[in-house]
Amino acid sequence: CGKPNCRCMKQNKPHKGYHYLYFRKWGVLRKEYVSRNNLVKLRREIETAKINDMKEKINLKLYLELLNQFYKK
């Protein structure tokens, strides 16, 4: 941690930072602790979800363009 006023520095037992996942569920912002063991896996899952989301947006855009071209004729 390294913060001068933190209790871990006063006890000379520095702790490391904690990781949390922030997300919205039913419009309410939630926070969940993520253990170090699950951190790499969670980051990979988030990246995969972002890529899939981008693919869906691209596919939707292409579909709408095709529809637009079809109805223009």
Side-chain angles (χ1 to χ4, degrees):
C1 150
K3 295 179 183 175
N5 292 333
C6 182
R7 65 180 159 77
C8 73
M9 293 305 285
K10 293 174 185 170
Q11 297 170 356
N12 203 19
K13 295 180 183 176
H15 61 85
K16 304 216 176 181
Y18 299 104
H19 301 279
Y20 293 92
L21 173 66
Y22 291 87
F23 60 96
R24 289 197 180 273
K25 185 174 183 180
W26 304 107
V28 178
L29 185 63
R30 306 278 181 173
K31 174 175 111 171
E32 257 183 51
Y33 170 74
V34 179
S35 70
R36 279 201 188 102
N37 298 337
N38 295 330
L39 191 58
V40 173
K41 180 182 174 190
L42 180 63
R43 284 182 175 157
R44 210 174 301 129
E45 289 175 3
I46 290 171
E47 284 304 313
T48 302
K50 285 180 182 179
I51 290 168
N52 289 338
D53 188 45
M54 286 189 313
K55 286 180 182 177
E56 284 181 28
K57 287 178 182 177
I58 290 169
N59 287 338
L60 179 61
K61 184 178 177 182
L62 291 172
Y63 175 72
L64 291 174
E65 286 174 7
L66 285 172
L67 276 179
N68 210 6
Q69 288 174 6
F70 178 76
Y71 284 109
K72 280 185 180 179
K73 293 180 181 180

